[in-house]
């Protein structure tokens, strides 16, 4: 019997408006009423994830930054898994050498060196999840997103690394040419060791500590709750979701998921534009998966 549900957000729980549909919200509440805990497991930081949940009044625990930081439903940080400072500096060296734009998520918020590149890169990410959007519409959505978030713009992210109290939790990198450029760079970063390099879209790669993965975080939360992994359900669409699809007893890939990602899931639901998360939840409960 399902006791815990972990869902990705972008391309999964969120629709074309980057919101949680009424159908998805209703299914989540139905699960909660049945005694099943729902939580999100996202590459987003806390503020980005919280904004969409607040729109529909959902309070839940959150795995953020691909598993680098976990929060309880009241917003208290339970644990973090940072990237060592020296290794972060080496990653940034590789990205700078390849002229790749990046942002750094830390225990004190999100940092960027360029607002213009931030908008362009986020628009590219939105476009990869919602291919029906025009580039102009994606730019508009990216700009609106900036108004909801507190992003720290600095002249040099490297200068921040001199502060020993700063913890780097994730480095996210964007390039408009996608895998052609990011593929070799991701491989080079992986070869540094002790890092997990994943992706949440065609035009990005995400770098975390090897122990900061959604699957590890889901297993940690389940253990704390006294829940067996066979009683955990995971839903996702992209490569940074694979680790949790692998550990969960019940796993759903979205209809819009990457083909390779679908191979890791036991079931496939409808797309994120068709409230696939809500349908997966109701199916799991009704069929006692």
């Amino acid at each position: 019997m399902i006791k815990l549900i972990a869902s990705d957000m972008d391309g999964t729980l969120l629709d074309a408006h980057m919101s949680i549909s009424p159908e998805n919200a209703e299914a989540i509440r139905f699960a909660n009423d049945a005694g099943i805990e729902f939580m999100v497991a996202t590459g987003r930081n806390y503020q980005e994830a919280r904004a969409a949940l607040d729109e529909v009044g959902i309070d839940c625990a959150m795995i953020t930054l691909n598993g680098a930081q976990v929060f309880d439903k009241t917003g208290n940080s339970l644990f973090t898994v940072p990237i060592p400072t020296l290794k972060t500096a080496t990653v940034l060296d590789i990205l700078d050498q390849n002229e790749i734009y990046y942002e750094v998520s830390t225990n004190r918020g999100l940092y960027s060196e360029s607002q213009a590149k931030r908008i362009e890169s986020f628009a590219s990410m939105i476009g990869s999840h919602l291919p029906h959007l025009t580039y102009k519409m994606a730019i508009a959505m990216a700009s609106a997103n900036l108004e909801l978030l507190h992003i720290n713009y600095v002249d040099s992210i490297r200068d921040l690394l001199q502060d020993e109290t700063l913890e780097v939790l994730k480095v996210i990198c964007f390039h408009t040419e996608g895998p052609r450029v990011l593929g070799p760079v991701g491989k080079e970063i992986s070869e540094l060791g002790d890092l997990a390099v994943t992706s949440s879209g065609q035009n990005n790669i995400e770098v975390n500590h090897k122990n900061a993965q959604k699957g590890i975080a889901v297993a940690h939360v389940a253990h704390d709750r006294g829940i067996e992994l066979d009683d955990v359900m995971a839903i996702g669409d992209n490569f940074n979701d694979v680790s949790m699809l692998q550990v969960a007893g019940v796993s759903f890939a979205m209809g819009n998921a990457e083909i390779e990602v679908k191979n890791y899931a036991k079931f496939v639901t409808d797309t994120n534009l068709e409230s696939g998360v809500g349908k997966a939840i109701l199916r799991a409960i009704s069929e006692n998966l």
Side-chain angles (χ1 to χ4, degrees):
M1 176 182 173
I2 300 299
K3 297 179 181 177
L4 174 66
I5 300 170
S7 173
D8 174 49
M9 295 190 76
D10 293 282
T12 302
L13 182 62
L14 303 183
D15 61 17
H17 305 288
M18 306 301 281
S19 298
I20 300 171
S21 71
E23 292 82 3
N24 282 345
E26 183 178 349
I28 291 168
R29 294 190 180 95
F30 181 78
N32 287 337
D33 290 343
I36 303 169
E37 181 179 358
F38 175 86
M39 68 184 306
V40 294
T42 178
R44 293 181 173 218
N45 63 32
Y46 180 84
Q47 290 78 14
E48 287 177 298
R50 186 72 261 163
L53 294 166
D54 285 343
E55 286 182 356
V56 292
I58 292 176
D59 290 316
C60 64
M62 290 190 283
I63 294 168
T64 65
L65 302 173
N66 292 334
Q69 193 163 32
V70 178
F71 297 87
D72 65 20
K73 68 185 301 181
T74 59
N76 296 311
S77 178
L78 301 179
F79 66 86
T80 60
V81 185
I83 304 171
T85 300
L86 289 178
K87 189 144 288 185
T88 299
T90 303
V91 170
L92 300 189
D93 284 341
I94 293 171
L95 297 175
D96 284 338
Q97 288 163 10
N98 288 275
E99 299 182 346
I100 293 173
Y101 170 72
Y102 54 83
E103 300 169 6
V104 174
S105 293
T106 75
N107 58 330
R108 288 192 300 216
L110 177 65
Y111 290 88
S112 168
E113 294 177 347
S114 171
Q115 185 178 47
K117 289 184 179 179
R118 210 283 167 175
I119 294 174
E120 178 185 350
S121 299
F122 196 77
S124 177
M125 186 181 74
I126 292 173
S128 70
H129 287 299
L130 303 170
H132 66 285
L133 291 181
T134 65
Y135 182 69
K136 185 176 181 180
M137 292 169 64
I139 287 288
M141 289 184 69
S143 299
N145 177 269
L146 284 181
E147 296 178 3
L148 298 174
L149 302 176
H150 180 65
I151 303 170
N152 303 290
Y153 293 101
V154 295
D155 293 332
S156 172
I157 289 176
R158 289 175 180 280
D159 288 347
L160 299 175
L161 302 183
Q162 305 305 312
D163 185 343
E164 294 181 357
T165 67
L166 186 83
E167 293 183 328
V168 173
L169 303 177
K170 185 178 82 166
V171 180
I172 183 168
C173 327
F174 299 91
H175 200 284
T176 55
E177 295 185 38
R180 188 188 73 78
V181 172
L182 295 176
V185 170
K187 184 175 184 296
E188 184 177 356
I189 292 173
S190 294
E191 290 171 351
L192 296 175
D194 293 330
L195 296 174
V197 180
T198 58
S199 173
S200 60
Q202 286 292 315
N203 296 324
N204 76 50
I205 55 174
E206 303 179 0
V207 183
N208 289 90
H209 188 278
K210 68 176 182 179
N211 293 328
Q213 298 186 55
K214 292 184 181 182
I216 294 173
V218 167
H220 185 99
V221 171
H223 181 267
D224 282 353
R225 305 284 199 275
I227 298 172
E228 298 292 330
L229 288 175
D230 283 346
D231 297 327
V232 174
M233 172 175 166
I235 317 169
D237 77 303
N238 224 306
F239 294 101
N240 62 343
D241 301 316
V242 167
S243 62
M244 70 173 179
L245 295 177
Q246 290 177 307
V247 303
V250 177
S251 53
F252 277 86
M254 301 299 293
N256 53 286
E258 297 287 339
I259 293 175
E260 296 93 333
V261 173
K262 290 180 180 178
N263 293 332
Y264 289 98
K266 295 179 180 177
F267 306 96
V268 175
T269 185
D270 285 346
T271 72
N272 63 315
L273 305 183
E274 302 167 310
S275 299
V277 167
K279 291 175 181 175
I281 291 173
L282 296 180
R283 177 183 174 186
I285 294 173
S286 65
E287 297 182 13
N288 195 27
L289 296 179

